[in-house]
C-alpha cells in the first residue's frame, strides 16, 4: 500500500517514480559534506578572529592564490581516476587531515611554540577553503553527470536542501558543543561526518550500477593532457564560460566585501570569548531559512521565473540589505546582511549557478567547472582582499573613515554583478540551443530555395512537346530564351536525339502546312530583341483578329479540335496579354476534361492573372491531376485574391480537399493579407481543415519571418491545442502545437526544439523543454511543458 506521507513528500519536492533512491542519496551526500564544513568553518572564523583579529582577514582571503595549485592537481586526478575513486579518496583525505588539525590545535602550542599556535589559524583557513572547494565542487560534478536540465531543475531544491540541512546540523552542533568541547573535539566530530559521507557515496554508485547506468562518466580520456593551463584555455575558448566565470568572480567579490563589513560589526559588538558559539548559532540560524527556501521554494521559483530572472534575485536582495546597513550600521543589520548573503548563496544562488553548467559540452564542462569553482571562486576572494587592503591602507587602516567608501565599492560591485547576470541569462539560452538539433526545414522550402522549379518544369515541357507538336516546342523554346533559361547545358539537352523528333502537324492557326518558325539554337537573337519582336507581332491587330477567330472556332466546336490544338492555343494565349479578347477563351479551356489541356490553360491563366479565371482554377484544385498546375497559377495572382480564397475557405459548401489546397495557395502567397484570411478562418469553426490552416500559417512564417501574428489570437489556440494533447496523448498533437508556438516566438528556435523533441531521447526532450521554459511566458509554460515532459 502506498505511503500517503511519501506521496505528499514526492509532490512537495517534485520527485518522480524511479528517482527517489538516487535523489535521497544525493541529499545525504550533500548533507555529509556541508555538516562538517560548517563545524570547521565556525572553528576557522573564531580561531582567526581570536588569534589574529579582523584586521588580518585580507591575508586570509589572499590564500585563495594557492587554490591554482589545487585546481591543477584536481584536474589531473579527475582525468586519471574514476569518479567513484576520486570522491571516496577526497572524503578520506579530508577526514584524515581533520584529525591532524585536531591534534595540532590541542598540542601545537606546547610542541612548536607560541608563534606556531598564534599563526596556525592561517594555514587552517586555507585548508578549510580547499575543503569547501573540492568537496562541494565534486558533488556538483556528479549532479552534472547524472541529471539533465529538466531533472536538475525539479530536484535541485531537494538534494540542495540536504546541503543546507547539513549546514544547519553543523552549526547547531557547534553552538551546542562549543562551550564544553574544544576545537579539537569538534574537528574529530567533523571527521566522523566525512566517514559517513564515504558510505553514502559507495551506496550511490552501487545504486547506479543496479540501475544499469554505470559510474558517473569521466570528463576526459586518459591520453588528454589536463592541468591548470588546459582548464584556463577551456574557459577562454567559450564566450558563455567567460561570462559564467565573470559572474562567479563578481559573486565572490561581493561576498568578500559583505563578509568583511558584517564581521567588523560583529567583532565590535560580540565579546571575544563567545565568538565560536555566536558563529555556530548564526550559521545555524541563517541556514534554517535557507533550508526551507531551498526545499520548498527554489525549484518553484526557478520554474516560475526561469533561470534568467533567478539570477537577478541575489543581487537585488543584497543591494537592499546593503542600503539598510548603510543607514543603520548595527549588529542586527550585520546579521541580516550576512544571513541574506549566505542564505541566498546556499539556496537559489548555488542552485542556479549549478544549473548553468548543465548545457555546457562535456569536452569543456569539467575543465571549466574545476577552474571556475575552485580557482575563480577563491581568486575573487583574493581580489576582494586586495581591494579592501588598498582602501584601508589609503585611510591609514582607519575603518571608520574607510567604511562609506567600502560600502560604495560594494554597491558598485553588485551593480556590475547584476549586469553580467543579465548577459549570462541570454547566453544560457543560446547554449541550450546549441545542444539541440539543427533547424528543421520543410522539404518544399529546401527545394524552392535550391532549385529553379519553374525552369525545370519548362525544360521538361519543352522536351515532352518535342514529340507532340512543333508549335508547342517552338513556344517553349521562346519561353526559355526570354526567361534566360536557354543556357548551353539546356540547349545541349534539347538538341539531343533526331532533328526531326517533332513531326510537323497541320494547324489552321498557322494557315499553312509548313513547320512553324523555330529559332536556331546556335544562332538565336538576344533574348530582349527576340521578345520585343515577338511581342510586336502578337500585338498586331491582324494577328489578334486571327487568333480570336481561331479561338472561337475551337471553343464553339471543341470536338473538331484535337487536345494538341487546344494545348497550342492555350500556350499561345498566355503570351498575348490580358487585354487580348481571345484570352477569355481560357475559361473554356480550363473546363476541358483533358488534364493536359487544363495544365496549359492554367499556366497561361497564371501569366495573364485575370479575375475571371480564379473560380475555374479553384475548382481544379479538387482534381489530383490538375491540382499542382491550378495551385501554381493561383499563387501568381498574389495578395489581390486573398479575400476571394478566404471566401472559399469559409464556405461550408466547398469540399474539404479544395479548402486544404486553398490554404496551401495562401501559404505560398505568404502576404499579410493571406495570413489575415487564414487567421480569420481559425477564429471560427475550422473543422477538418484546422491543421491545414495552421500549417499554412507556419509556412507563411517561414517565407515571411518579419510578419507578426497577434498573441491575443494565437495564445488561446496554443492552450486549446495543449488541452487536446493532454486528452488524446501528446504525440498526436505535438507537431501542431510547435507550429503555433513558431508563430509567436523565434521560428528557428522553436523548430530546433521540435526536431530534438521528435528524436524522442530523454535528454533531447529535456533540452527542448528547457529552451521552451526560458522562451515562453509562465501561462504557456505551465500548460505546455507538462505535456512534453510526459514523453520522457
Amino acid at each position: 500500500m502506498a505511503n500517503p506521507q511519501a506521496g505528499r513528500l514526492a509532490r512537495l519536492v517534485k520527485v518522480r517514480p524511479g528517482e527517489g533512491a538516487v535523489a535521497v542519496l544525493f541529499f545525504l551526500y550533500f548533507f555529509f559534506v556541508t555538516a562538517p564544513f560548517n563545524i570547521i568553518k565556525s572553528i576557522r572564523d573564531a580561531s582567526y578572529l581570536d588569534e589574529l583579529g579582523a584586521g588580518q582577514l585580507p591575508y586570509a582571503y589572499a590564500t585563495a592564490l594557492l587554490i591554482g595549485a589545487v585546481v591543477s592537481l584536481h584536474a589531473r586526478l579527475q582525468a586519471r581516476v574514476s569518479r567513484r575513486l576520486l570522491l571516496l579518496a577526497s572524503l578520506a583525505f579530508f577526514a584524515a587531515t581533520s584529525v591532524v588539525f585536531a591534534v595540532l590545535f590541542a598540542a601545537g602550542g606546547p610542541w612548536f611554540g607560541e608563534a606556531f599556535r598564534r599563526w596556525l589559524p592561517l594555514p587552517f583557513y586555507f585548508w578549510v577553503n580547499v575543503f569547501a572547494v573540492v568537496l562541494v565542487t565534486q558533488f556538483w560534478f556528479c549532479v552534472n553527470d547524472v541529471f539533465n536540465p529538466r531533472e536538475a531543475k525539479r530536484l535541485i531544491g531537494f538534494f540542495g536542501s540536504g546541503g543546507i540541512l547539513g549546514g544547519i546540523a553543523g552549526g547547531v552542533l557547534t553552538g551546542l558543543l562549543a562551550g564544553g568541547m574544544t576545537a579539537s573535539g569538534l574537528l574529530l566530530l567533523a571527521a566522523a561526518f566525512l566517514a559517513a559521507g564515504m558510505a553514502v557515496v559507495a551506496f550511490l554508485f552501487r545504486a547506479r550500477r543496479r540501475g544499469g547506468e554505470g559510474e558517473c562518466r569521466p570528463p576526459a580520456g586518459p591520453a588528454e593532457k589536463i592541468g591548470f593551463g588546459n582548464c584556463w584555455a577551456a574557459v577562454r575558448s567559450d564566450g558563455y564560460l567567460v561570462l559564467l566565470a565573470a559572474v562567479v568572480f563578481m559573486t565572490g567579490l561581493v561576498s568578500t566585501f559583505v563578509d568583511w563589513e558584517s564581521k567588523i560589526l560583529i567583532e565590535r559588538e560580540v565579546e571575544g570569548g563567545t565568538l565560536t558559539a555566536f558563529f555556530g548559532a548564526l550559521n545555524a540560524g541563517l541556514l534554517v531559512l535557507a533550508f526551507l527556501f531551498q526545499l520548498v521554494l527554489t525549484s518553484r521559483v526557478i520554474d516560475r521565473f526561469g533561470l534568467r530572472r533567478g539570477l537577478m534575485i541575489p543581487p537585488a536582495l543584497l543591494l537592499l540589505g546593503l542600503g539598510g546597513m548603510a543607514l543603520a550600521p548595527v549588529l542586527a543589520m550585520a546579521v541580516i546582511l550576512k544571513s541574506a548573503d549566505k542564505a541566498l548563496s546556499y539556496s537559489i544562488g548555488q542552485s542556479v549557478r549549478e544549473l548553468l553548467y548543465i548545457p555546457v559540452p562535456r569536452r569543456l564542462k569539467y575543465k571549466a567547472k574545476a577552474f571556475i569553482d575552485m580557482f575563480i571562486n577563491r581568486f575573487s576572494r583574493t581580489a576582494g582582499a586586495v581591494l579592501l587592503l588598498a582602501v584601508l591602507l589609503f585611510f591609514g587602516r582607519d575603518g571608520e573613515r574607510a567604511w562609506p567608501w567600502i560600502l560604495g565599492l560594494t554597491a558598485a560591485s553588485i551593480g556590475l554583478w547584476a549586469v553580467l547576470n543579465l548577459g549570462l541569462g541570454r547566453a544560457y539560452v543560446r547554449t541550450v540551443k546549441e545542444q539541440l538539433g539543427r533547424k528543421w526545414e520543410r522539404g518544399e522550402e529546401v527545394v524552392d530555395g535550391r532549385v529553379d522549379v519553374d525552369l525545370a518544369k519548362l525544360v521538361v515541357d519543352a522536351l515532352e512537346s518535342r514529340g507532340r507538336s512543333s508549335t508547342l516546342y517552338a513556344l517553349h523554346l521562346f519561353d526559355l530564351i526570354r526567361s534566360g533559361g536557354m543556357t548551353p547545358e539546356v540547349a545541349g539537352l534539347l538538341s539531343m536525339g533526331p532533328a526531326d523528333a517533332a513531326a510537323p502537324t497541320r494547324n489552321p492557326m498557322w494557315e499553312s502546312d509548313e513547320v512553324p518558325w523555330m529559332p536556331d539554337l546556335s544562332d538565336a537573337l538576344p533574348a530582349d530583341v527576340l521578345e520585343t519582336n515577338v511581342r510586336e507581332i502578337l500585338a498586331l491587330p491582324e494577328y489578334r483578329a486571327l487568333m480570336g477567330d481561331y479561338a472561337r472556332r475551337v471553343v464553339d466546336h471543341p470536338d473538331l479540335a484535337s487536345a494538341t490544338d487546344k494545348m497550342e492555343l492555350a500556350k499561345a494565349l498566355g503570351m498575348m496579354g490580358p487585354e487580348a479578347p481571345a484570352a477569355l477563351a481560357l475559361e473554356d479551356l480550363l473546363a476541358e476534361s483533358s488534364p493536359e489541356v487544363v495544365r496549359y490553360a492554367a499556366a497561361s491563366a497564371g501569366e495573364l492573372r485575370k479575375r475571371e479565371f480564379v473560380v475555374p482554377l479553384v475548382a481544379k484544385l479538387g482534381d489530383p491531376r490538375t491540382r499542382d498546375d491550378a495551385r501554381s497559377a493561383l499563387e501568381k495572382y498574389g495578395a489581390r485574391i486573398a479575400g476571394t480564397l478566404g471566401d472559399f475557405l469559409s464556405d461550408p459548401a466547398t469540399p474539404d480537399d479544395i479548402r486544404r489546397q486553398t490554404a496551401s495557395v495562401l501559404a505560398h502567397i505568404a502576404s499579410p493579407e493571406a495570413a489575415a484570411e487564414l487567421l480569420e478562418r481559425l477564429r471560427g469553426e475550422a473543422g477538418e481543415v484546422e491543421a491545414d490552416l495552421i500549417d499554412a500559417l507556419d509556412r507563411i512564417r517561414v517565407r515571411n519571418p518579419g510578419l507578426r501574428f497577434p498573441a491575443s489570437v494565437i495564445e488561446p489556440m496554443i492552450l486549446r491545442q495543449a488541452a487536446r494533447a493532454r486528452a488524446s496523448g501528446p504525440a498526436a498533437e505535438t507537431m501542431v502545437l510547435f507550429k503555433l508556438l513558431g508563430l509567436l516566438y523565434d521560428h528557428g528556435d522553436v523548430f530546433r526544439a521540435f526536431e530534438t523533441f521528435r528524436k524522442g531521447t530523454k535528454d533531447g526532450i529535456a533540452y527542448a523543454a528547457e529552451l521552451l521554459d526560458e522562451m515562453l511566458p509562465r501561462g504557456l509554460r505551465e500548460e505546455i511543458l507538462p505535456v512534453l515532459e510526459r514523453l520522457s
Side-chain angles (χ1 to χ4, degrees), residues 495-674:
S495 299
M496 291 179 180
D500 59 348
T505 57
R506 188 178 189 284
N507 192 323
M509 69 186 291
W510 299 101
E511 296 183 327
S512 170
D513 287 341
E514 298 177 1
V515 178
W517 171 83
M518 294 179 63
D520 183 351
L521 294 181
S522 63
D523 190 27
L525 292 171
D528 56 341
V529 176
L530 177 62
E531 182 170 10
T532 299
N533 291 342
V534 173
R535 290 294 182 197
E536 288 176 354
I537 294 171
L538 294 176
L540 289 173
E542 296 82 0
Y543 184 80
R544 292 198 171 197
L546 174 67
M547 288 297 297
D549 180 64
Y550 178 66
R552 280 191 298 274
R553 277 187 284 157
V554 171
V555 170
D556 292 342
H557 306 285
D559 296 338
L560 299 179
S562 67
T564 300
D565 294 336
K566 296 173 184 176
M567 292 160 64
E568 291 170 348
L569 175 61
K571 181 71 175 176
L573 290 176
M575 296 181 176
M576 295 188 64
E579 70 283 353
L584 292 175
L586 285 174
E587 285 190 76
D588 296 280
L589 296 177
L590 285 169
E592 285 285 330
S593 59
S594 168
E596 292 182 312
V597 174
V598 172
R599 184 160 65 88
Y600 277 90
S604 292
E607 292 295 327
L608 302 182
R609 295 189 279 279
K610 291 177 72 69
R611 279 203 168 268
E612 291 87 343
F613 306 148
V614 172
V615 173
L617 283 171
V618 171
K620 291 301 176 182
L621 292 173
D623 187 343
R625 300 172 299 170
T626 59
R627 177 175 296 158
D628 291 342
D629 300 289
R631 188 171 58 228
S632 296
L634 289 168
E635 289 165 9
K636 292 180 179 178
Y637 280 81
R640 66 193 184 98
I641 63 166
T644 304
L645 296 177
D647 292 339
F648 279 101
L649 280 177
S650 57
D651 186 354
T654 305
D656 284 344
D657 58 340
I658 292 181
R659 295 174 73 198
R660 290 189 179 94
Q661 296 304 317
T662 302
S664 179
V665 173
L666 287 168
H668 278 82
I669 292 173
S671 67
E673 296 84 357

Side-chain angles (χ1 to χ4, degrees), residues 778-792:
R778 181 190 172 200
L780 294 183
R781 272 202 318 264
E782 291 179 346
E783 295 297 324
I784 293 171
L785 294 185
V787 174
L788 300 182
E789 289 183 327
R790 279 167 54 190
L791 291 186
S792 66

Side-chain angles (χ1 to χ4, degrees), residues 242-585:
V242 170
L243 260 177
L244 182 53
V247 166
V248 170
F249 177 85
M250 292 307 302
T251 304
L253 191 73
V254 169
S255 185
T256 301
F257 294 156
V258 168
D259 184 68
W260 182 86
E261 290 155 353
S262 59
K263 283 179 178 174
I264 283 290
L265 294 179
I266 289 171
E267 184 187 36
R268 188 176 68 188
E269 301 287 338
V270 179
E271 294 182 8
T274 61
L275 280 172
T276 298
F278 175 84
F279 279 117
L282 174 63
N283 289 334
L286 67 91
L287 287 175
V288 169
L289 180 60
F291 170 73
L292 295 175
F293 190 91
Q294 179 77 354
L295 181 64
V296 180
L297 296 178
T298 292
S299 293
R300 286 170 170 77
V301 167
I302 294 173
D303 281 344
R304 176 165 182 172
F305 297 106
L307 282 181
R308 286 185 287 179
R309 293 186 182 92
L311 283 166
M312 302 306 298
I313 293 174
L317 293 181
L318 284 182
L319 194 59
L320 287 175
L322 188 70
M325 177 177 277
L327 293 174
V330 296
L331 179 63
M333 288 309 305
V335 170
I336 290 173
L337 186 61
K338 178 76 173 175
S339 299
D341 178 38
K342 294 305 177 184
L344 291 169
S345 175
Y346 292 149
S347 57
I348 190 168
Q350 179 73 36
S351 298
V352 168
R353 190 172 79 190
E354 296 305 328
L355 289 170
L356 292 170
Y357 280 109
I358 291 178
V360 176
R362 186 166 296 275
R363 62 184 175 81
L364 297 176
K365 180 185 298 185
Y366 296 100
K367 298 178 191 176
K369 185 167 175 56
F371 183 83
I372 293 172
D373 285 5
M374 291 185 176
F375 179 72
I376 294 293
N377 189 29
R378 291 299 161 179
F379 177 73
S380 64
R381 316 285 172 163
T382 302
V386 170
L387 289 172
L388 286 173
L389 277 173
V391 175
L392 289 171
L393 289 172
F394 182 79
F395 288 102
R397 293 187 176 273
D398 187 343
E400 293 297 327
R401 291 174 57 204
W403 177 261
W405 292 92
I406 294 176
L407 288 178
L409 182 62
T410 306
S413 300
I414 292 175
L416 179 57
W417 180 25
V419 171
L420 290 171
N421 278 344
L422 287 173
L424 181 60
R426 290 190 290 267
Y428 172 77
V429 176
R430 291 195 298 271
T431 304
V432 170
K433 293 176 191 177
E434 292 169 3
Q435 294 294 320
L436 305 181
R438 67 183 181 87
K439 181 182 175 182
W440 179 77
E441 295 180 292
R442 288 178 169 272
E444 68 267 26
E445 302 299 333
V446 174
V447 172
D448 289 348
R450 301 177 186 177
V451 178
D452 190 335
V453 178
D454 290 336
L455 175 61
K457 184 178 178 182
L458 192 55
V459 171
V460 171
D461 286 345
L463 288 168
E464 188 273 337
S465 66
R466 193 170 59 174
R468 178 190 292 273
S469 163
S470 55
T471 302
L472 281 177
Y473 186 42
L475 293 172
H476 283 307
L477 292 177
F478 171 62
D479 268 351
L480 280 169
I481 292 171
R482 69 175 180 140
S483 67
M486 188 61 77
T487 63
E489 294 79 9
V490 172
L493 178 64
L494 293 174
S495 299
M496 291 179 180
D500 59 348
T505 57
R506 188 178 189 284
N507 192 323
M509 69 186 291
W510 299 101
E511 296 183 327
S512 170
D513 287 341
E514 298 177 1
V515 178
W517 171 83
M518 294 179 63
D520 183 351
L521 294 181
S522 63
D523 190 27
L525 292 171
D528 56 341
V529 176
L530 177 62
E531 182 170 10
T532 299
N533 291 342
V534 173
R535 290 294 182 197
E536 288 176 354
I537 294 171
L538 294 176
L540 289 173
E542 296 82 0
Y543 184 80
R544 292 198 171 197
L546 174 67
M547 288 297 297
D549 180 64
Y550 178 66
R552 280 191 298 274
R553 277 187 284 157
V554 171
V555 170
D556 292 342
H557 306 285
D559 296 338
L560 299 179
S562 67
T564 300
D565 294 336
K566 296 173 184 176
M567 292 160 64
E568 291 170 348
L569 175 61
K571 181 71 175 176
L573 290 176
M575 296 181 176
M576 295 188 64
E579 70 283 353
L584 292 175

Side-chain angles (χ1 to χ4, degrees), residues 151-167:
E151 292 169 331
K153 271 190 173 181
R154 282 189 295 101
L155 298 174
I156 200 167
F158 175 59
F159 51 68
S161 66
I164 298 175
L165 187 62

